[in-house]
Amino acid sequence: MKYRSKTEHQRQFLPVVVVLSNNILPVWYLRQVHDSERPNFQFPQETVEIELSRAYAMCKRWSKGPEQQIVIWVVDVETQVHTNELQGVSRAETVTMIQSMYEEMEAEPHVKMIINNPTFELWLQLHFERLSRGIEINGEEVKARVEHYIPGYVRERSFFHEGETIYAKTRNSVAIAMINANGLIAPDFPDLKLARTMMPVAVSLFKEGV
């Protein structure tokens, strides 16, 4: 008879956190937070970048699953707006869709929908500077600020993973980012035009456990 080790036995009963996103960057980042902080849950390798409507359907299905499973669903507003505009869907229609999904997911205890506007990179920017609660900023402006603070920054797997990871580069400033994100967490529905990031919700879970 094959006996499981104590570690293997304990892993069987650990909660499972799955991350879905319409942008691969926060998926890479949260993987690094998990691997660095080692919280008390499993983070399966199949965590993926995924289209909005499919992610919604998966969240609805998983919300009825076992209590020990939590879904972190990260939505970058600008990414989704650009994707939908290519399909003839207006920005206003996309924002209404995101708001409807967000309000529905608020009632699901096992799903945490994380909204970033314009993109996940706003969270990286906040490691270095504070923004006004009423500021409007686009993704390219945010990217330029991140490039200013993190030399050589590019939206590529090699930069995020090879050598010093993006989380390692910013880890010592996470507490500053949390402070700078105060007032920028709650999405400004119904317009979703202001700079907002809910990444502190996800990062806190990954650092502190469930």
Side-chain angles (χ1 to χ4, degrees):
M1 179 182 293
K2 182 178 179 181
Y3 291 93
R4 292 188 177 90
S5 69
K6 182 179 179 180
T7 300
E8 290 175 323
H9 183 73
Q10 290 173 333
R11 189 178 297 119
Q12 278 191 304
F13 298 97
L14 286 177
V16 175
V17 172
V18 177
V19 176
L20 306 174
S21 180
N22 62 341
N23 179 358
I24 197 62
L25 302 187
V27 177
W28 291 343
Y29 174 83
L30 289 173
R31 164 66 60 189
Q32 293 167 10
V33 178
H34 176 271
D35 292 350
S36 178
E37 303 297 341
R38 297 293 177 182
N40 65 336
F41 57 78
Q42 300 179 66
F43 187 15
Q45 292 292 336
E46 59 267 22
T47 296
V48 293
E49 176 183 21
I50 194 167
E51 190 272 329
L52 187 73
S53 60
R54 185 175 169 216
Y56 169 76
M58 293 173 74
C59 286
K60 290 291 291 180
R61 184 172 72 252
W62 286 341
S63 69
K64 306 298 187 283
E67 290 187 4
Q68 64 269 29
Q69 179 168 273
I70 296 174
V71 181
I72 303 294
W73 179 17
V74 185
V75 176
D76 279 8
V77 174
E78 187 172 279
T79 300
Q80 195 60 49
V81 166
H82 288 171
T83 298
N84 286 7
E85 284 178 341
L86 293 175
Q87 301 171 359
V89 179
S90 70
R91 186 186 194 283
E93 291 173 304
T94 298
V95 168
T96 297
M97 184 189 313
I98 292 173
Q99 180 176 3
S100 175
M101 292 176 175
Y102 177 78
E103 290 173 349
E104 186 173 351
M105 292 303 148
E106 278 193 304
E108 300 290 352
H110 305 306
V111 178
K112 297 183 184 298
M113 189 171 178
I114 308 297
I115 294 178
N116 298 312
N117 189 43
T119 64
F120 155 77
E121 288 157 318
L122 177 65
W123 168 243
L124 299 181
Q125 181 182 355
L126 292 174
H127 286 68
F128 307 97
E129 62 185 31
R130 184 189 295 266
L131 299 178
S132 163
R133 293 182 63 181
I135 191 171
E136 294 185 26
I137 189 169
N138 64 51
E140 286 305 309
E141 291 172 325
V142 171
K143 181 172 178 286
R145 297 305 294 162
V146 173
E147 290 170 340
H148 172 75
Y149 290 113
I150 306 177
Y153 177 83
V154 288
R155 295 165 172 164
E156 295 178 3
R157 174 182 286 274
S158 59
F159 184 83
F160 270 68
H161 290 282
E162 294 176 7
E164 188 179 28
T165 67
I166 194 69
Y167 181 60
K169 288 180 171 72
T170 57
R171 184 180 184 184
N172 290 339
S173 300
V174 168
I176 294 173
M178 291 284 191
I179 293 171
N180 288 344
N182 284 340
L184 302 180
I185 295 178
D188 63 311
F189 293 125
D191 299 320
L192 270 187
K193 291 184 177 180
L194 304 181
R196 293 290 186 267
T197 179
M198 297 180 69
M199 286 303 296
V201 176
V203 173
S204 293
L205 184 146
F206 270 70
K207 287 175 68 67
E208 300 167 10
V210 297

